[in-house]
Each structure stands twice: as C-alpha cells, then as structure tokens.
Amino acid sequence: MAMTTDVHIAGVGMIPFTKPGRSASYAEMGESAARAALADSGLAYSLVQQAYVGYVYGDSTSGQAALYGLGQTGIPIVNVNNNCSTGSSALWLARQAVASGTVDCALALGFEQMVPGALGSVFTDRPGPMSRQEAIRDELQGTDPMAPMAAQFFGGAGQAYVDEFGIDPAVFAEISVKARRHAANNPNAVFRDPVTVDEVLASPTIYGPLTRLQCCPPTCGAAAAVVCSPEFARRHGLNADVVIRAQSLTTDGVSTFESRDMRQVIGYDMAVAAANNVYEAAGIGPEDIHVVELHDCFTTNEFLTYEALSLTPAGTAEKFIRDGDNTYGGRVVTNPSGGLLSKGHPLGATGLAQCAELVWQLRGQAGARQVDGVDLALQHNLGLGGACVVTLYQKVDAR
C-alpha cells in the first residue's frame, strides 16, 4: 500500500559512477556515499536509528562492511536485494520505518561493484528465480544463446510494441541520443560524449531492435539518502524541504504470466499499478509531473515506461519523442541525469542515485541540468522477477 505520511529527505549523496575495474571496493564506495548523504543533512551517523543497504552482487552482510566504516553504533542494518529496483526498495523500507513511527531517522544506502559484460546467474546448481518468465519468453520468441538475458526480455518487449503499433524502431535510438545530451551536464555520469541516431543504429545489434548503444553499461558506484520525520527535522534544525509525498512498491500480478505479452513479462503492469497508487495517494495526475527519473536500462524500457506512467497515452510514445516532449522545452524532462543509459547502472545504487538527482532538482541544485520551476518529481525503478518502486517527491516549506 502506498502511504501518505510525509517523510523528509534530510540528505542525499552519491559518488561518480565508473566502469568496472576502475572503482574502489564496494565497502569504500558505500561508505563514501553514506558520508556524503550525512554531510548533506548535517547529521552525525550516531543519530541514524536504522539502515537499509541494497546490493545485488555481494556476500551477506556487505551492508555492515560498508557502514562499519562510519562507526559501530549497534543499530539494525538490513541487507536488501530486489534486482535492479534494490536501491529504491531500500529507500522504501527506510521511509516505511519513519512513516510508521518506528524510528525518527533512517539511512538508505545502495552500492554495486560490478564486473564487465552482461549480467549472469551466480548460482547454476538450482532453479533461477525467473524461470516462469523465461518459460514465457521461450514460448513467445525462443532463446538466443548469444544474446544477453536482459536484452532478450527488453528487446522482445520493444519488438512487441513495434508489432502492435507499426512504429519505426529507429525512434528507440533517439532515446540514447537524448540520454547522452543530458549526461553531458552530469559530472557523475560514465558516458558524457554525444552520439547521433546513425551512430546508435550502426552499433552492433544485441537483440531485436536493440543495438549496443541502446543498452545500459555495467557500472560501479554508490548512492545514499537520509530520511526523517518532520518532528526530527524541526528538532535538529534541518533544511529538509523535500518530502516523499507518496511511494508504492508493487510485484508481479497474474497478467505478467497470463497475458503472453513480453511487455507484461518485463513489468509493464507493475509500473502502471505503482504509478496509479502514487497518483491516487497524492491526489495528483501525470499532467502535474514535469521531471522524471525512470528506469531506462534499455531504450525500449524508457519508451514503454512513458506510457506505463501515463506521461503520454497508450500508443503515442513515438509522437511524444518526435515532438520533443521528453526533454527540455517539452512537457516532461525525462532522466535529466542521463539515466541508466549514460549515467550508468550499478544495480544497488541506481534507485538512490535517481533519488539524489530529483532532490537536487527540487532544491534547485542541479546546475546545467536544472529543470525550471519544479515542485514535484517522479521516480520509477524496476527490477525483473519482479519489483517496481514509484516515488513522488515534493518541495515544501519546511520552516
């Protein structure tokens, strides 16, 4: 259930994302991001009462290894893994702890130390958690042993849209061009050099309509957020003028498995449900949103998410892009950070990096990326298998 009790963002922090092999260790990255969020809030770690730490590729209690660098305060530290929505799931848990009154102040931290190449299974001696989704994929489109697993899912979903609406699949490449253009103004992004549509389309084909430059890179990085109650913010004199207005975490419903549609298999209805929960809880509509950080692991998923979040009606995402309504000067600026495609996608950190970007946008601290006049910001973070978190942030007068 989406909760309506406002929880304040006391501070956010992230470190620049980087390619595998060039980063510090996961523990060092996590500690650095947590320190940055605490410094942004002006709070000492000793005031944090619970911590939720997200990562996908790591041993148990890696969260403790990262936070012990800040001190051994004895607080509960919960390790979280929800695939690519891990960071937002950690934030969801921290917000829920504060909203319920269990604690006054909690920390959400996410990090990932990745290796080069496509994502793969760690455990090969047992059934994978996505075996049901894989069975449907195999039924609908077969399996390409040479293509990355995730690209087969999201490429197939994009192809299903092309088949239904007859759009030119080259429109997906325009999302990569936009991502690089936005990332050029983000010092935390991995890929900041511009690309053209022709260059995107000429890069090697990965699966279906997807080429290499339409797929997010494996990335190392970390990000964090400190959340607190209104009373805690007042008591400590915090300038916590951004709140989580509403938030929803959803998982797969029956349509994922019964629709026989690759768009549903990759979580389209999860996103629709989470977004609708948030809109209803906050009493707003998608027309009130002018800046969004959404889960563009592949161009096709950003494309589909425009419609899942009701930023544009079903069947109109191609026009939405061609009219420039997904960027500066249009109706809603999507992924001003450069998104996963250009900023990078360290799985456990992604959701909290999205959070940091939107908090900076609402504070007016986004520099050359700043979207003018925003007081609401929407975040979408998706994990296959499945979980989707949609979060609405609002700027308020916290004095």
Side-chain angles (χ1 to χ4, degrees):
M1 297 292 291
M3 298 176 67
T4 58
T5 302
D6 287 344
V7 172
H8 289 257
I9 303 289
V12 293
M14 67 175 292
I15 63 171
F17 290 174
T18 188
K19 295 180 180 179
R22 300 182 183 179
S23 73
S25 73
Y26 73 88
E28 294 172 287
M29 291 190 292
E31 179 183 339
S32 295
R35 285 189 183 279
L38 288 166
D40 185 51
S41 69
L43 294 170
Y45 181 56
S46 59
L47 293 172
V48 174
Q49 297 164 310
Q50 288 183 3
Y52 298 87
V53 185
Y55 55 92
V56 176
Y57 292 104
D59 289 329
S60 297
T61 67
S62 290
Q64 281 86 334
L67 288 179
Y68 282 177
L70 300 176
Q72 295 81 56
T73 60
I75 63 169
I77 298 174
V78 179
N79 293 268
V80 182
N81 181 347
N82 235 0
N83 261 352
C84 297
S85 65
T86 289
S88 289
S89 296
L91 180 64
W92 184 84
L93 288 164
R95 177 203 57 84
Q96 190 166 246
V98 172
S100 67
T102 302
V103 297
D104 293 316
C105 181
L107 171 69
L109 169 64
F111 53 74
E112 211 70 60
Q113 184 176 347
M114 300 188 72
V115 297
L119 301 180
S121 298
V122 175
F123 302 104
T124 58
D125 62 341
R126 65 203 71 182
M130 289 189 58
S131 59
R132 294 181 67 184
Q133 289 91 338
E134 290 168 351
I136 297 170
R137 177 204 62 194
D138 293 349
E139 174 188 332
L140 295 175
Q141 62 188 39
T143 302
D144 182 348
M146 302 303 294
M149 179 273 290
Q152 294 184 58
F153 278 100
F154 288 99
Q159 187 61 52
Y161 190 100
V162 170
D163 293 343
E164 178 174 356
F165 292 102
I167 67 166
D168 178 3
V171 73
F172 297 138
E174 296 186 32
I175 292 173
S176 291
V177 174
K178 183 264 298 178
R180 289 292 188 97
R181 188 169 65 246
H182 290 184
N185 294 315
N186 186 357
N188 290 321
V190 175
F191 295 126
R192 302 177 62 192
D193 295 331
V195 293
T196 66
V197 168
D198 287 343
E199 288 171 330
V200 174
L201 294 175
S203 63
T205 297
I206 302 301
Y207 187 85
L210 293 174
T211 62
R212 180 176 294 167
L213 291 179
Q214 297 183 62
C215 308
C216 70
T219 319
C220 301
V226 180
V227 298
C228 68
S229 67
E231 295 76 16
F232 183 92
R234 285 192 293 269
R235 189 162 67 248
H236 292 275
L238 305 183
N239 183 24
D241 57 356
V242 175
V243 299
I244 297 177
R245 174 81 178 275
Q247 190 176 46
S248 180
L249 190 161
T250 56
T251 57
D252 290 302
V254 294
S255 64
T256 299
F257 306 104
E258 294 183 357
S259 66
R260 294 303 189 263
D261 186 326
M262 286 301 297
R263 289 166 290 186
Q264 304 299 346
V265 174
I266 59 111
Y268 184 90
D269 277 358
M270 281 198 297
V272 170
N276 288 343
N277 288 344
V278 164
Y279 293 144
E280 182 178 356
I284 67 160
E287 67 278 3
D288 298 309
I289 302 299
H290 301 295
V291 61
V292 176
E293 283 281 312
L294 58 82
H295 198 90
D296 60 325
C297 49
F298 299 90
T299 56
T300 49
N301 198 49
E302 174 159 340
F303 185 96
L304 294 170
T305 302
Y306 293 155
E307 297 183 10
L309 300 180
S310 298
L311 302 178
T312 191
T316 67
E318 181 183 32
K319 183 176 187 299
F320 184 69
I321 294 171
R322 294 272 160 82
D323 288 348
D325 279 335
N326 64 340
T327 188
Y328 296 88
R331 201 187 70 71
V332 53
V333 180
T334 58
N335 291 332
S337 69
L340 284 62
L341 287 167
S342 293
K343 182 180 74 226
H345 183 25
L347 309 189
T350 286
L352 287 157
Q354 292 177 320
C355 169
E357 175 67 25
L358 294 178
V359 168
W360 291 328
Q361 289 286 343
L362 291 171
R363 290 177 179 171
Q365 298 175 337
R369 305 186 309 283
Q370 186 64 50
V371 180
D372 293 334
V374 292
D375 58 8
L376 290 170
L378 192 71
Q379 176 192 358
H380 161 270
N381 191 198
L382 176 75
L384 289 181
C388 182
V389 185
V390 172
T391 307
L392 178 70
Y393 303 89
Q394 183 174 20
K395 184 175 181 179
V396 298
D397 185 354
R399 291 173 297 175

